[in-house]
Each structure stands twice: as structure tokens, then as C-alpha cells.
């Protein structure tokens, strides 16, 4: 984290992600989709995506724009921040505190 030389600035230690962020987004998208009983084909149609694009998102191969994450979350009726930090089905910790 870059040093902030302002006298009134407080240091904020942010957690370090244990894996690339796009993997969390993909894993959480897959978990929410399955929880809602959707196939990849059904979810892709609902989201307006090609099924191959959805697969690439779910496997962590896509670096998505925030607008796309917001679109996915709102369409699936999920809090967008859960796509970024790990959802309730994430078995691995989102951050590595070591």
C-alpha cells in the first residue's frame, strides 16, 4: 500500500486476497446460479450472455467490468459486494491473513 504523507491520514490495512478476484466472482456466480436452480443456459439467457461467456466468467477466466458485476448481481437479486468478497457458499477464505 503506498504511503500517505498527510498528517491526518490513518493507515488502513486491507486484506490480501487469497486468489484472483475474478475467481471469487466466478465461483460466487456459479453458486448463486445453482442455488436458484438455473442451468448455465438459463442463466446466460436471463443475463443476455452467450453461454460460453458465462462459462468463462464462472471459471475465473474473465476480468469483468464493475458494470457487468452489477448487472449480474441485480439480475440474480444478489448483493454485488458478495461477488467481490466471497459469498455464503465460498468454502475457502476470501483473504489470506498470514
Amino acid at each position: 500500500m503506498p504511503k500517505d504523507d498527510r498528517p491526518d491520514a490513518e493507515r488502513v490495512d486491507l486484506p490480501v486476497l487469497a486468489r484472483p478476484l475474478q475467481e471469487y466472482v466466478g465461483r460466487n456466480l456459479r453458486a448463486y446460479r445453482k442455488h436458484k436452480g438455473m442451468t448455465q443456459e438459463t442463466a446466460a439467457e436471463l443475463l443476455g450472455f452467450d453461454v460460453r461467456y458465462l462459462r468463462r466468467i464462472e471459471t475465473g477466466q474473465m476480468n469483468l467490468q464493475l458494470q457487468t458485476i452489477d448487472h449480474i448481481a441485480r439480475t440474480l437479486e444478489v448483493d454485488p459486494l458478495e461477488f467481490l468478497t466471497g459469498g455464503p457458499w465460498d468454502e475457502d477464505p476470501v483473504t489470506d491473513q498470514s
Side-chain angles (χ1 to χ4, degrees):
M1 172 176 253
K3 184 179 176 194
D4 191 337
D5 292 327
R6 295 177 296 161
D8 61 340
E10 290 184 34
R11 178 174 163 78
V12 177
D13 290 323
L14 298 175
V16 177
L17 291 175
R19 61 182 62 209
L21 188 58
Q22 64 256 26
E23 287 185 30
Y24 288 105
V25 172
R27 287 168 25 130
N28 289 326
L29 171 56
R30 180 174 39 253
Y32 284 114
R33 173 183 60 76
K34 287 183 175 184
H35 178 72
K36 292 183 177 284
M38 290 186 207
T39 64
Q40 283 184 331
E41 291 77 11
T42 303
E45 185 176 329
L46 179 67
L47 292 164
F49 297 161
D50 182 86
V51 71
R52 291 171 295 194
Y53 180 69
L54 182 69
R55 267 189 214 117
R56 292 189 68 209
I57 295 171
E58 288 190 358
T59 57
Q61 298 174 24
M62 296 300 301
N63 187 8
L64 300 175
Q65 293 183 7
L66 291 175
Q67 291 172 326
T68 305
I69 294 170
D70 187 58
H71 166 70
I72 293 168
R74 290 182 193 282
T75 301
L76 297 180
E77 300 175 340
V78 176
D79 180 348
L81 293 177
E82 289 192 29
F83 281 108
L84 298 174
T85 59
W89 302 282
D90 191 4
E91 295 176 8
D92 297 332
V94 173
T95 59
D96 179 12
Q97 299 296 332
S98 59

